[in-house]
DNA sequence: GCTGGGGCCTAA
DNA sequence: TTAGTTAGGCCCCAGC
């Protein structure tokens, strides 16, 4: 175990005498010793282990029950507890028993062949088994009593203290009271820069690592311990940071690895370090044969290794990733964390920093990095400042988002180690909770057979889900009350005692008293809690009780650090409670049980139906206009005031709650007033929780909150909704839309607002799609920077050739900007803006919605000649007179316009001056953003609207000054 | 021009 | 070696 003492010294605790084990149901007549011998012999014969090795050290008979099914009379069952010397062989031993055919000697000397047998808990991780048995949860404190441990003399690790202890002597503490606070874990945040060949994205086989910037910052401290940047070649001094320069790359790498060992962080962080910085460094060091570089872990002489992984889940999507063996340090990549926890349009460090920290960073394109490196110590300093910022931002994000605090609390609440929260999915949390609770009451968890890839699983839904009430679409000027079931699925599981351990199989139903049973609407039977309380019920009750307590403590807490810990805890408890239902329904999981999940949703469907009936029965003139899963939206009648609506909602929630079993609770939470209901899962309204002032505008499922359209659409829809709901001014909404349409058709909209981004989710697609086709195109342009699976691909739709399909007209926004490729404005209007606008205006407009899209404002302005494709290739661009656009051969004006030269010249000059001003103000804005008004702006941040405007301004300015120069009046 | 299904993303 | 669930809207491609 790696950790810290109260005084802040780092400690490695080496735990001895804890052996892994699992269970097997007893076969009559087979003695434990004989079973142990048979298994060991089989392992020798199979040459799994050499003959001098004893794998199974002990088998004993214990009395337990399986967690699966309630059996009439709830009889105890005998199991062999099979203990192994080394957990590594658990799988081999379990497999021998599962397959059957093991020859075991009976006491009467007859040899019996074991049948195929189910094993129990052999897949439980050894580490988790240890923690459960000792009562230890992740990120918690433990005591080693004086005299019960020894301090190791010959250390094998980098930690300050190394201790040997017997597993039985460890005293674990619940993270409460005195043990609530967390240890000040040391974080090292780093970022690398690399460059070599011009214009090519760096590859570790060819391109050097030129800088590594670092922040060492203990969690909970106000200031960093160190800010260090390692550079290749000299670098001018940076105030507040240490600069260490090397002439040779091998030395640089070796020195950084030494720095890691010296600062010895508990947590390694950064942005995309898992899939870029760390693999790059390890590959590069291998290439250069820097032997001591991989020694980044805390165990002396144990190098860090890396392997590629591919994780996919419906929750996180598919991601190709890397796994590292780095003992004693948790790799906490902020990119990974943020993609998991937040749904954003873009996950670039820039965009994420803007979103959460309100600050941008200079985004230096990789092609410029090489030039800065090849310059002098000043340009390298420039790069180092940039690199340091990239190392700082991840720590800032971690603190701002409370990521570490929240994750540590999640580790405590679910009992798993911190690192697992980053490297594994949601299921492991429930597995841990299930094992912990089961262990206390002698229930065993079966190892379920893995069905093959095409086995039991399959693609479609495995059971019926929730009800979505058919919406009465429209715009409601009356207040709409919303009633919600609080924690619906957890409360159903508790109310009906749904659990693995309470499920009764059909064959046993006849042997049970009917009054002990309840049958769910989906047909499964469970025993009532008076007979046996389910494990899931217990887990959920404890989670919810703990959450109540955490919220209470949070209110009472004065210290902001403790407040954040407690807030993290109540959040973790809520997430964990909600994960239980999903776990039972995860068909490819550790312990799926469709009877539980299908019953849960079936009860839910019944409850929402009943709620609706009750509301409409009890309140004359009330209608449930919509509802989804756990909520109903009620219109109590015409002309009701907000106060009345709230009072009725309150009353209805209270009254109707009583018809459901405890702890189910229907709550009145809010009113929508006014309310726009577009369709199932799509609505918007002003949300009121008091009668004084609305809380906010709430949008669900509408384009304004979706990430699969461009910002222009989201912004316009948001504004329209604001006009309609807040100001209730249809005319203003209409004129705003007309203005946007007019701007769009006249090319006045920023490219950044037209960028669409979609996730690349797989490799083989059936149909062609814009983001997929573009990703392929980009791969051909530059394989190094092309989007990978799991990335979001940004694009704009260009004009392209005539009749060219939309998917092949998608183009990289930066590419479009640089080459001045025309954008298909009409496509944006007709295919992206029109339908969403129609859907929103339709319920509120008396006249035809079509009027929005015809008229003066839809006049198109002629656009620049396409530079590529179409006929442009074959036509030579001819000069045109700047006065009357007549073709001319040279100069600025045709013969007719020459007399007015002074006038035309002044006009063009004024235009140029105006553009110059616009450009320079954008330039200043960028300089301000990068925090340096003395240097060139190097930023090319594809997420920043200013960047697009600045580039566009530059292009326009160049065109204008080109025109002015054609007059040949060089002053 | 219509329809079905793939794909994406969201609600809960 | 690993992955929480179903319901549902809507855009676009592909095929007729």
């Amino acid at each position: 175990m790696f950790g810290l003492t109260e005084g802040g010294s780092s400690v490695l605790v080496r735990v001895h005498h804890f052996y892994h084990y699992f269970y097997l149901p007893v076969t009559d007549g087979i003695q434990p010793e004989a079973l142990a011998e048979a298994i060991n012999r089989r392992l020798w014969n199979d040459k799994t282990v050499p003959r001098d090795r004893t794998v199974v050290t002990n088998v004993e008979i214990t009395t337990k029950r399986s967690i699966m099914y309630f059996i009439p009379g709830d009889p105890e069952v005998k199991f062999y507890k099979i203990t192994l010397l080394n957990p590594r062989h658990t799988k081999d031993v379990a497999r021998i028993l599962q397959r059957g055919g093991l020859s075991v000697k009976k006491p009467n000397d007859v040899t019996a062949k074991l049948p195929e047998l189910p094993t129990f808990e052999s897949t439980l991780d050894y580490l988790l088994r240890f923690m459960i048995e000792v009562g230890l949860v992740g990120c918690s404190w433990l005591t080693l009593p004086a005299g019960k441990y020894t301090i190791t003399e010959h250390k094998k690790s980098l930690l300050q203290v190394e201790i040997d202890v017997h597993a039985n002597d460890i005293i674990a503490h619940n993270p409460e009271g005195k043990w609530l606070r967390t240890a000040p874990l040391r974080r090292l945040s780093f970022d690398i820069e690399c460059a070599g060949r011009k214009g090519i994205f760096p590859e570790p086989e060819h391109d050097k690592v030129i800088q590594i910037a670092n922040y060492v910052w203990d969690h909970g401290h106000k200031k960093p311990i160190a800010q260090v940047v390692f550079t290749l070649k000299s670098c001018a001094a940076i105030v507040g940071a240490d600069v260490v320069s090397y002439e040779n790359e091998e030395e640089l790498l070796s020195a950084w690895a030494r720095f890691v060992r010296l600062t010895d962080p508990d947590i390694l962080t950064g942005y995309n370090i898992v899939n870029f910085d760390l693999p790059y460094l390890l590959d590069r060091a291998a290439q250069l044969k820097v032997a001591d570089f991989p020694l980044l872990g805390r165990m002396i002489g144990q190098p860090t290794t890396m392997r590629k992984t591919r994780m996919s889940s419906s929750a996180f999507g598919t991601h190709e990733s890397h796994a590292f063996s780095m003992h004693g340090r948790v790799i906490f990549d902020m990119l990974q964390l943020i993609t998991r926890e937040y749904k954003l349009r873009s996950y670039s460090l820039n965009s994420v920093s803007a979103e959460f920290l309100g600050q941008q960073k200079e985004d230096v394109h990789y092609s410029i990095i090489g030039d800065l490196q090849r310059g002098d110590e000043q340009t390298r300093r420039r790069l180092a400042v940039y690199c340091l910022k990239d190392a700082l931002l991840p720590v800032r994000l971690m603190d701002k988002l409370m990521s570490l605090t929240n994750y540590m609390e999640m580790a405590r609440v679910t009992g798993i180690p911190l690192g697992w929260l980053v490297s594994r999915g949601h299921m492991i949390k429930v597995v841990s909770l299930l094992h912990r609770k089961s262990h206390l009451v002698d229930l065993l968890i079966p190892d379920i057979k893995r069905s093959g890839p095409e086995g039991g699983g399959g693609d479609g839904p495995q059971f019926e889900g929730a009800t979505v009430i058919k919406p009465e679409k429209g715009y409601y000027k009356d207040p709409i009350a919303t009633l919600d079931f609080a924690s619906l699925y957890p409360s159903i599981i508790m109310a009906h005692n749904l659990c693995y351990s309470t499920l009764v199989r059909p064959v046993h139903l006849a042997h049970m008293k009917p009054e002990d049973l309840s049958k769910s609407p989906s047909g499964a039977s469970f025993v009532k809690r008076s007979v046996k309380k389910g494990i899931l019920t217990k887990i959920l009750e404890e989670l919810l009780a703990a959450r109540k307590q955490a919220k209470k403590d949070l209110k009472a807490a004065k210290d902001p650090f403790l407040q954040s810990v407690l807030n993290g805890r109540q959040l973790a408890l809520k997430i964990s409670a909600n994960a239980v239902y999903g776990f039972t329904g995860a068909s490819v999981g550790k312990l799926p049980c469709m009877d539980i999940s299908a019953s849960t949703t079936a009860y839910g469907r019944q409850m929402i139906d009943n709620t609706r009936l009750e509301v409409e029965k009890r309140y004359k003139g009330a209608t449930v206009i919509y509802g989804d899963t756990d909520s109903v939206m009620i219109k109590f009648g015409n002309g009701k005031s907000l106060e009345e609506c709230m009072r009725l909602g309150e009353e209805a929630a209270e009254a109707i709650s009583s018809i459901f079993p405890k702890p189910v609770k229907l709550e009145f939470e809010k009113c929508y007033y006014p309310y726009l209901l577009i369709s199932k899962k799509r609505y918007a309204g002003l949300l009121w929780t008091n009668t004084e002032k609305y809380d906010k505008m709430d949008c669900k499922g509408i384009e304004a909150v979706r990430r699969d359209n461009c910002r222009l659409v989201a912004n316009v829809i948001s504004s329209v909704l604001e006009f309609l709901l807040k100001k209730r001014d249809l005319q203003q909404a209409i004129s705003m839309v007309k203005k946007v349409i007019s701007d769009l058709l006249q090319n006045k909209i920023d490219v950044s607002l037209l960028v669409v981004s979609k996730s690349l989710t797989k490799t083989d697609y059936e149909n062609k799609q814009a983001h997929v086709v573009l990703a392929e195109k980009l791969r051909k342009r530059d394989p190094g920077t092309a989007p990978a699976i799991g990335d979001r691909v940004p694009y704009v739709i260009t004009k392209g050739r005539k009749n060219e399909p939309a998917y092949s007209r998608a183009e990289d926004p930066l590419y479009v900007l640089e080459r001045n490729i025309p954008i298909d404005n009409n496509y944006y209007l007709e295919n992206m803006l029109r339908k969403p606008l129609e859907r929103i205006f339709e319920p509120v407009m008396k006249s035809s919605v079509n009027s929005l899209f015809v008229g003066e404002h839809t006049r198109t302005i002629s656009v620049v000649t396409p530079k590529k494709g179409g006929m442009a290739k074959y036509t030579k661009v001819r000069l045109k007179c700047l006065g009357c656009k007549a073709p001319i051969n040279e100069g600025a004006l045709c013969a007719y316009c020459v007399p007015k030269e002074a006038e035309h010249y002044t006009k063009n000059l004024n235009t140029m001056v105006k553009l110059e001003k616009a450009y320079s103000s954008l330039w200043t804005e960028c300089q301000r953003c990068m925090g340096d008004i003395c240097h060139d702006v190097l930023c090319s941040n594809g997420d920043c609207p200013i960047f697009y405007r600045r580039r566009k301004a530059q292009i326009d300015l160049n065109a204008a000054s080109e025109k002015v120069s054609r007059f040949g009046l060089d002053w």
Side-chain angles (χ1 to χ4, degrees):
Chain A
M1 297 185 287
F2 295 91
L4 295 171
T5 66
E6 283 183 292
S9 308
S10 61
V11 201
L12 172 66
V13 180
R14 305 160 65 87
V15 182
H16 299 269
H17 301 107
F18 185 81
Y19 301 102
H20 205 25
Y21 57 84
F22 70 95
Y23 297 93
L24 185 77
V26 162
T27 301
D28 282 336
I30 289 183
Q31 299 303 114
E33 301 77 19
L35 180 62
E37 200 209 301
I39 296 168
N40 284 325
R41 193 169 8 179
R42 174 67 169 273
L43 289 166
W44 295 334
N45 290 342
D46 292 353
K47 300 209 162 93
T48 310
V49 293
R51 290 210 169 250
D52 58 348
R53 193 87 54 85
T54 304
V55 173
V56 174
T57 52
N58 189 40
V59 175
E60 61 187 59
I61 293 180
T62 58
T63 316
K64 307 271 177 183
R65 289 183 181 87
S66 168
I67 197 177
M68 276 320 291
Y69 307 116
F70 181 86
I71 290 161
D74 204 13
E76 288 187 329
V77 183
K78 284 191 167 131
F79 286 88
Y80 300 110
K81 179 181 177 186
I82 300 170
T83 304
L84 303 101
L85 187 64
N86 187 330
R88 189 182 308 154
H89 299 116
T90 313
K91 220 175 162 184
D92 297 318
V93 176
R95 199 174 294 145
I96 287 170
L97 298 163
Q98 286 158 0
R99 283 186 184 156
L102 180 70
S103 304
V104 192
K105 269 217 178 96
K106 287 191 165 185
N108 58 9
D109 254 8
V110 178
T111 303
K113 264 201 169 38
L114 287 184
E116 291 178 16
L117 289 167
T119 56
F120 289 72
E121 308 197 348
S122 78
T123 54
L124 175 60
D125 192 281
Y126 177 50
L127 176 58
L128 203 49
R129 163 67 76 201
F130 160 72
M131 291 173 71
I132 291 171
E133 194 130 327
V134 175
L136 198 61
V137 294
C139 295
S140 65
W141 294 96
L142 55 93
T143 298
L144 306 181
K148 298 280 188 168
Y149 61 85
T150 53
I151 293 188
T152 320
E153 274 184 45
H154 302 289
K155 287 203 299 172
K156 290 186 175 169
S157 74
L158 302 170
L159 289 95
Q160 289 166 295
V161 190
E162 212 168 299
I163 285 172
D164 287 272
V165 71
H166 193 291
N168 295 347
D169 293 327
I170 298 168
I171 300 167
H173 301 291
N174 278 337
E176 279 155 20
K178 186 184 172 200
W179 308 109
L180 178 59
R181 70 190 195 290
T182 53
L185 297 186
R186 173 157 300 173
R187 303 170 296 183
L188 188 157
S189 177
F190 73 102
D191 178 54
I192 70 170
E193 301 302 331
C194 23
R197 298 160 301 158
K198 227 182 163 71
I200 300 174
F201 189 75
E203 292 168 10
E205 293 76 31
H206 308 285
D207 303 302
K208 290 176 178 172
V209 174
I210 56 174
Q211 295 194 347
I212 311 178
N214 306 270
Y215 273 79
V216 182
W217 202 324
D218 289 353
H219 186 231
H221 286 212
K222 291 228 162 64
K223 281 182 181 159
I225 291 171
Q227 301 173 55
V228 187
V229 59
F230 293 76
T231 68
L232 185 63
K233 302 267 162 27
S234 64
C235 171
I238 298 168
V239 178
D242 292 317
V243 180
V244 202
S245 303
Y246 297 86
E247 280 305 308
N248 162 315
E249 192 191 358
E250 285 87 341
E251 277 174 40
L252 166 68
L253 292 174
S254 183
W256 184 73
R258 218 155 45 234
F259 175 76
V260 173
R261 294 193 290 270
L262 196 72
T263 51
D264 197 32
D266 301 287
I267 287 171
L268 216 50
T269 188
Y271 209 75
N272 202 20
I273 54 171
V274 164
N275 290 315
F276 182 73
D277 303 60
L278 277 175
Y280 198 100
L281 288 171
L282 287 164
D283 284 342
R284 185 67 185 158
Q287 181 82 19
L288 298 177
K289 303 195 169 59
V290 184
D292 60 352
F293 182 84
L295 300 174
L296 297 168
R298 297 178 118 172
M299 299 307 292
I300 292 168
Q302 292 194 28
T304 300
T305 56
M306 161 175 76
R307 69 188 161 79
K308 285 190 173 154
T309 62
R310 191 177 162 143
M311 200 174 89
S312 76
S313 75
S314 51
F316 303 145
T318 304
H319 288 280
E320 280 169 337
S321 185
H322 292 87
F324 303 89
S325 68
M326 191 186 293
H327 293 285
R329 305 194 207 286
V330 173
I331 298 174
F332 203 89
D333 188 332
M334 284 308 290
L335 171 62
Q336 276 192 331
L337 182 127
I338 288 169
T339 48
R340 276 188 185 201
E341 306 283 325
Y342 302 90
K343 290 200 179 301
L344 305 174
R345 284 176 177 268
S346 161
Y347 290 100
S348 68
L349 178 54
N350 226 314
S351 156
V352 167
S353 304
E355 176 81 28
F356 295 121
L357 304 174
Q359 58 175 287
Q360 298 246 16
K361 59 150 215 149
E362 199 179 10
D363 207 350
V364 180
H365 194 253
Y366 68 88
S367 57
I368 299 174
I369 291 174
D371 295 336
L372 293 173
Q373 174 68 11
R374 280 184 291 273
D376 56 18
E377 60 166 27
Q378 286 301 331
T379 62
R380 286 190 288 273
R381 177 186 180 279
R382 182 75 202 284
L383 188 57
V385 169
Y386 161 77
C387 191
L388 273 165
K389 180 121 196 221
D390 279 7
L392 172 62
L393 287 171
V395 195
R396 287 248 185 268
L397 285 167
M398 198 190 291
D399 289 344
K400 176 84 184 200
L401 300 174
M402 299 277 178
S403 313
L404 191 52
T405 307
N406 291 352
Y407 267 46
M408 285 200 278
E409 280 308 303
M410 183 58 93
R412 288 171 161 188
V413 162
T414 59
I416 64 175
L418 180 66
W420 290 14
L421 290 172
V422 190
S423 63
R424 309 180 64 168
H426 278 144
M427 280 220 281
I428 187 64
K429 302 181 205 171
V430 184
V431 169
S432 168
L433 290 169
L434 203 55
H435 272 283
R436 280 171 191 276
K437 259 281 92 35
S438 302
H439 181 74
L440 295 177
V441 292
D442 287 335
L443 289 183
L444 300 184
I445 295 171
D447 300 316
I448 61 140
K449 281 182 231 113
R450 321 188 61 81
S451 46
E454 298 299 321
D459 268 345
Q462 306 291 302
F463 58 93
E464 195 181 338
T467 298
V468 183
I469 294 172
K470 190 161 171 271
E472 298 280 344
K473 302 177 190 180
Y475 177 71
Y476 293 86
K477 288 181 183 169
D478 290 309
I480 302 297
T482 306
L483 307 189
D484 287 81
F485 285 105
S487 304
L488 179 68
Y489 287 172
S491 69
I492 288 175
I493 292 173
M494 289 185 281
H496 301 282
N497 203 33
L498 308 184
C499 185
Y500 304 95
S501 59
T502 57
L503 177 61
V504 181
R505 272 176 290 185
V507 277
H508 288 138
L509 287 176
H511 307 99
M512 303 272 308
K513 286 187 236 155
E515 64 267 30
D516 287 346
L517 293 170
S518 46
K519 192 170 180 182
S520 84
S522 67
S525 293
F526 297 86
V527 292
K528 292 186 174 154
R529 73 163 60 197
S530 53
V531 180
K532 185 177 185 173
K533 199 193 242 190
I535 294 286
L536 295 183
T537 305
K538 287 187 194 173
I539 291 174
L540 290 171
E541 281 176 356
E542 284 185 18
L543 289 175
L544 296 184
R547 179 159 187 239
K548 224 177 211 171
Q549 184 64 45
K551 280 181 146 178
K552 199 174 139 195
D553 294 348
L554 175 59
K555 257 188 193 154
K558 295 274 181 295
D559 174 16
F561 191 70
L562 285 189
Q563 282 175 347
S564 67
V565 169
L566 288 164
N567 187 50
R569 174 167 305 182
Q570 68 86 13
L571 213 64
L573 288 162
K574 181 185 172 179
I575 296 168
S576 303
N578 286 331
V580 170
Y581 150 77
F583 175 83
T584 66
S587 52
V588 188
K590 270 276 152 72
L591 198 62
C593 182
M594 296 309 151
D595 278 323
I596 298 174
S597 38
S599 296
T600 307
T601 55
Y603 275 118
R605 291 192 299 274
Q606 206 176 56
M607 286 159 68
I608 199 174
D609 287 349
N610 287 340
T611 305
R612 173 192 207 159
L613 291 174
E614 286 297 319
V615 167
E616 293 182 352
K617 190 178 86 189
R618 289 171 192 229
Y619 296 89
K620 270 221 146 48
T623 359
V624 169
I625 56 160
Y626 179 58
D628 185 347
T629 310
D630 61 352
S631 65
V632 287
M633 288 18 179
I634 309 165
K635 184 180 158 184
F636 277 109
N638 290 325
K640 288 270 187 300
S641 71
L642 186 60
E643 287 90 336
E644 247 177 311
C645 186
M646 284 187 167
R647 190 184 56 74
L648 289 169
E650 204 91 55
E651 184 192 295
E654 169 102 28
I656 300 173
S657 273
S658 65
I659 71 167
F660 298 112
K662 278 188 176 162
V664 172
K665 202 173 160 220
L666 192 60
E667 292 177 329
F668 166 79
E669 255 195 1
K670 65 213 172 199
C671 278
Y672 284 115
Y673 174 51
Y675 184 58
L676 180 61
L677 181 52
I678 305 226
S679 63
K680 285 185 177 179
K681 301 196 187 279
R682 287 174 177 233
Y683 60 81
L686 291 191
L687 189 155
W688 299 71
T689 54
N690 63 76
T691 52
E692 303 296 308
K693 173 98 181 77
Y694 60 80
D695 297 65
K696 59 169 179 174
M697 188 174 87
D698 200 18
C699 292
K700 299 289 185 193
I702 295 176
E703 282 72 14
V705 296
R706 294 181 66 87
R707 298 181 294 168
D708 52 358
N709 51 52
C710 63
R711 268 218 168 74
L712 179 73
V713 174
N715 291 352
V716 170
I717 297 293
S718 293
S719 310
V720 169
L721 289 171
E722 297 218 350
F723 280 125
L724 295 181
L725 300 172
K726 287 188 186 164
K727 297 188 180 162
R728 304 199 185 197
D729 189 335
L730 177 61
Q731 281 320 309
Q732 251 191 298
I734 291 173
S735 51
M736 189 272 300
V737 168
K738 285 187 172 173
K739 172 81 167 75
V740 170
I741 291 175
S742 157
D743 283 353
L744 174 65
L745 295 179
Q746 293 180 61
N747 278 329
K748 287 185 185 164
I749 303 282
D750 262 8
V751 180
S752 66
L753 293 173
L754 302 177
V755 177
V756 183
S757 77
K758 285 187 183 169
S759 297
L760 198 61
T761 58
K762 47 177 173 174
T763 42
D764 282 318
Y765 280 88
E766 297 276 342
N767 295 339
K768 296 190 166 170
Q769 290 184 85
H771 67 295
V772 181
V773 173
L774 176 61
E776 189 55 43
K777 222 187 280 182
L778 293 174
R779 196 157 23 252
K780 278 179 191 143
R781 262 178 222 161
D782 182 359
T785 50
I789 195 160
D791 286 354
R792 294 185 69 81
V793 186
Y795 63 88
V796 291
I797 300 293
T798 64
K799 280 209 160 63
R801 296 184 308 275
K802 204 174 179 184
N803 293 329
E804 191 177 355
Y807 58 78
S808 77
R809 288 187 281 130
E811 192 43 91
D812 173 22
L814 285 178
Y815 190 87
V816 163
L817 193 68
E818 295 300 329
R819 285 166 184 72
N820 209 14
I821 297 168
I823 287 187
D824 191 345
N825 302 318
N826 209 48
Y827 182 89
Y828 278 86
L829 176 58
E830 292 299 329
N831 298 55
M832 300 203 189
L833 214 42
R834 188 173 191 130
K835 289 266 172 60
L837 280 172
E838 281 174 353
R839 284 192 290 268
I840 285 180
F841 275 106
E842 212 272 322
V844 291
M845 268 173 87
K846 290 190 189 81
S847 57
S848 158
V849 181
N850 198 40
S851 66
L852 283 169
F853 305 99
V854 290
E856 182 63 11
H857 65 287
T858 57
R859 213 162 41 89
T860 316
I861 250 182
S862 68
V863 284
V864 231
T865 323
K867 289 234 167 98
K868 70 163 205 183
M871 291 302 286
K873 273 188 260 184
Y874 311 105
T875 53
K876 207 180 144 200
V877 184
R878 284 202 65 180
L879 279 184
K880 281 178 185 159
C881 167
L882 292 174
C884 66
K885 298 205 164 76
I888 51 173
N889 292 327
E890 55 178 8
L893 302 171
C894 67
Y896 293 99
C897 291
V898 165
K900 287 191 173 174
E901 185 178 41
E903 189 186 316
H904 288 301
Y905 179 74
T906 318
K907 204 173 121 200
N908 277 284
L909 191 65
N910 282 342
T911 309
M912 189 184 89
V913 169
K914 235 186 251 167
L915 289 169
E916 250 169 4
K917 259 193 193 151
Y919 178 66
S920 86
S921 89
L922 287 166
W923 174 272
T924 317
E925 197 167 340
C926 287
Q927 280 188 316
R928 221 176 278 136
C929 165
M930 65 187 230
D932 182 347
I933 49 163
C934 306
H935 287 97
D936 270 6
V937 175
L938 302 174
C939 183
S940 59
N941 174 7
D943 294 315
C944 174
I946 308 290
F947 167 66
Y948 284 94
R949 261 186 258 159
R950 178 163 56 82
R951 283 296 300 144
K952 179 131 198 316
Q954 190 173 32
I955 289 162
D956 292 348
L957 175 60
N958 290 346
S961 71
E962 159 80 22
K963 278 181 189 169
V964 170
S965 70
R966 274 166 60 190
F967 285 90
L969 304 169
D970 203 359
W971 293 9

